[in-house]
Amino acid sequence: MLIDRIKQIARDIHPLVIARRRHLHAHPELSFQEKETSAYIKKQLSEMGIPWQPVADNGVVALIRGGKLSDRVVALRADIDALPIHEQNAVEYRSTCTGVMHACGHDAHTASLLGTAHILQALREEFGGTVKLIFQPGEEKLPGGASLMIREGVLENPRPEGIIGQHCAPALEAGKIAVRPGKFMASMDELQVWVRGKGGHAAQPHQNIDPVVIAAHIIVALQQIVSRQANPTHPSVLSFGRVIADGAINVIPDEVHLEGTLRTMDEAWRAKAHEQMVKMASGIAESMGGSCEFRIVKGYPYLLNNEALTSKIRRYAESYLGEDQVVEADLWMAAEDFAYYTQATSGCFYLLGTGNSARGINSALHSPTFDIDESALEISTGLMAFMALKELGY
Ligand code: NI
């Protein structure tokens, strides 16, 4: 049975996958600076005898061609970058790079895909078609490594019929995966706002135009974009996480700077929300005697899981893990540049359970205590190999 053979290899290489994940975890690199990580991936692929090519600087694309005749192609993707977070885990494989940490599990995604490569390479004489392995830099930073790799042709020569990706999910117990067909993750835009007034002595507000009060009105009013203008059936989030006034106890500043994010799952509404936010903020600032410069940096689109591919992925996972280990994922308002692949071809992005509540492994993604239950790496490697082979018609 294919499943049993894959599970056996996944079990055999599990210590190796853990070792690779720990190496990557100890040596994290920020988005678009993944030189060593990229070199490490290339070295591992070469040692396995898998040909690779660099794409978009630190990106790597590798091909495993089956020994039987078939022109089917499936792509598997892992992201490789880390975050500007200072690790607080006291583990032997903790980050050796001050202020940089694999706090989003991309070390696990990368080690897992290398493990999947190992399995596929071992079985290559038996299947037909091609598996394209995509190791992608810069997931955490705009414009997103996915958009750059696609622009440089990662989805051509050969063109995959579908692409599969996974993400660590600490809230889901190791052993399970979560899948959701259709819209799954949000679009993300960065908002930069400068509210300008006229600074001066805090004791003489009548001689100033107070940008702090204007900014406060803008922040509160903009919540109506979500609560009054968005269709309630379209999820939307608007959050400002950075508000810099930089005056003093007795000084009204000239300017207040706001930074925030807009997330939603509908492109038409996204465009309309941009317009409405600018209009509302400018109107408020002007009505209070100030002005407002509103800059929107468009981020990733929403992530759409192809219905047909996703229902197959769910079935493969149920065969591999057992039906009770596969659950429906909730909508997730985080953004992922995997979304770009789902616009260019059929994609399925699913969640890999990496939590272990009994062992206290449940810190959130992007937190300084994030870690995974490494037993998940045995599942992730084999499962993805199984999915790829099923998609090739094995
Ligand atoms: Ni991530």
Side-chain angles (χ1 to χ4, degrees):
M1 276 270 290
L2 177 65
I3 285 187
D4 297 324
R5 295 182 54 213
I6 290 178
K7 282 186 175 172
Q8 182 60 51
I9 306 174
R11 204 173 304 130
D12 292 345
I13 63 167
H14 190 207
L16 176 63
V17 176
I18 290 175
R20 286 186 182 136
R21 181 257 163 172
R22 291 183 176 194
H23 173 87
L24 292 166
H25 191 87
H27 302 93
E29 292 174 297
L30 292 173
S31 307
F32 301 114
Q33 299 174 28
E34 313 92 338
K35 286 251 169 309
E36 296 302 321
T37 306
S38 180
Y40 182 81
I41 292 164
K42 291 165 186 165
K43 183 164 169 279
Q44 300 296 321
L45 289 168
S46 293
E47 279 175 12
M48 287 187 269
I50 299 170
W52 53 264
Q53 279 188 308
V55 181
D57 288 333
N58 299 327
V60 184
V61 59
L63 293 179
I64 301 177
R65 293 184 195 274
K68 295 185 175 160
L69 212 58
S70 162
D71 51 14
R72 300 192 71 168
V73 184
V74 63
L76 308 176
R77 174 273 206 173
D79 42 10
I80 69 172
D81 55 328
L83 286 160
I85 291 176
H86 190 70
E87 177 155 19
Q88 284 175 19
N89 291 314
V91 289
E92 68 197 60
Y93 50 88
R94 70 172 286 162
S95 170
T96 56
C97 187
T98 307
V100 185
M101 177 188 175
H102 269 295
C104 199
H106 299 186
D107 51 343
H109 307 159
T110 301
S112 177
L113 188 55
L114 285 168
T116 299
H118 189 118
I119 296 169
L120 293 168
Q121 182 72 347
L123 298 174
R124 73 186 180 284
E125 290 309 328
E126 296 176 37
F127 66 87
T130 302
V131 182
K132 183 175 259 194
L133 308 166
I134 298 173
F135 295 90
Q136 181 217 297
E139 192 286 318
E140 301 283 2
K141 194 170 180 183
L142 295 183
S147 68
L148 303 181
M149 286 189 94
I150 292 169
R151 201 196 303 156
E152 291 200 12
V154 78
L155 294 180
E156 305 302 328
N157 301 321
R159 179 168 177 79
E161 297 152 56
I163 182 165
I164 306 167
Q166 63 183 343
H167 204 290
C168 293
L172 191 65
E173 289 289 292
K176 293 182 186 287
I177 75 153
V179 191
R180 185 181 187 91
K183 292 180 180 182
F184 176 37
M185 295 178 71
S187 61
M188 180 268 291
D189 300 308
E190 293 180 359
L191 313 177
Q192 299 272 358
V193 187
W194 290 266
V195 179
R196 300 199 171 102
K198 180 174 164 292
H201 201 298
Q204 296 159 340
H206 58 295
Q207 292 176 359
N208 309 320
I209 296 166
D210 188 345
V212 178
V213 175
I214 300 174
H217 276 272
I218 288 174
I219 291 170
V220 173
L222 284 180
Q223 289 305 313
Q224 290 179 43
I225 299 288
V226 172
S227 70
R228 301 290 84 182
Q229 298 192 18
N231 182 328
T233 63
H234 296 165
S236 300
V237 174
L238 176 63
S239 298
F240 284 95
R242 192 170 156 91
V243 179
I244 307 295
D246 211 24
I249 286 175
N250 53 2
V251 179
I252 292 169
D254 282 321
E255 181 180 277
V256 174
H257 182 55
L258 313 176
E259 291 181 358
T261 181
L262 173 77
R263 284 141 195 269
T264 184
M265 294 186 175
D266 181 278
E267 285 302 316
W269 159 239
R270 181 188 185 189
K272 187 162 175 240
H274 289 179
E275 247 174 63
Q276 299 280 1
M277 285 190 299
V278 175
K279 204 167 141 191
M280 192 179 265
S282 309
I284 290 167
E286 274 161 37
S287 73
M288 296 175 78
S291 66
C292 168
E293 183 184 340
F294 206 121
R295 202 178 296 163
I296 299 171
V297 182
K298 268 188 97 172
Y300 307 154
Y302 71 89
L303 190 152
L304 181 69
N305 276 336
N306 176 275
E307 303 265 355
L309 177 62
T310 304
S311 79
K312 284 190 286 176
I313 289 297
R314 180 164 188 143
R315 267 187 284 120
Y316 304 150
E318 285 172 350
S319 317
Y320 193 88
L321 302 172
E323 275 180 35
D324 53 339
Q325 298 297 87
V326 182
V327 298
E328 176 105 349
D330 288 330
L331 287 174
W332 191 16
M333 296 309 284
E336 236 295 338
D337 74 350
F338 189 86
Y340 284 112
Y341 302 111
T342 70
Q343 287 191 333
T345 184
S346 302
C348 178
F349 194 64
Y350 62 87
L351 299 180
L352 172 75
T354 54
N356 185 325
S357 39
R359 289 175 52 204
I361 302 174
N362 50 15
S363 287
L365 295 167
H366 294 213
S367 78
T369 53
F370 172 76
D371 202 358
I372 66 164
D373 178 346
E374 290 173 322
S375 72
L377 294 172
E378 184 180 330
I379 290 155
S380 60
T381 49
L383 177 60
M384 212 181 235
F386 181 65
M387 288 171 172
L389 292 183
K390 294 305 283 182
E391 273 306 286
L392 293 180
Y394 191 110

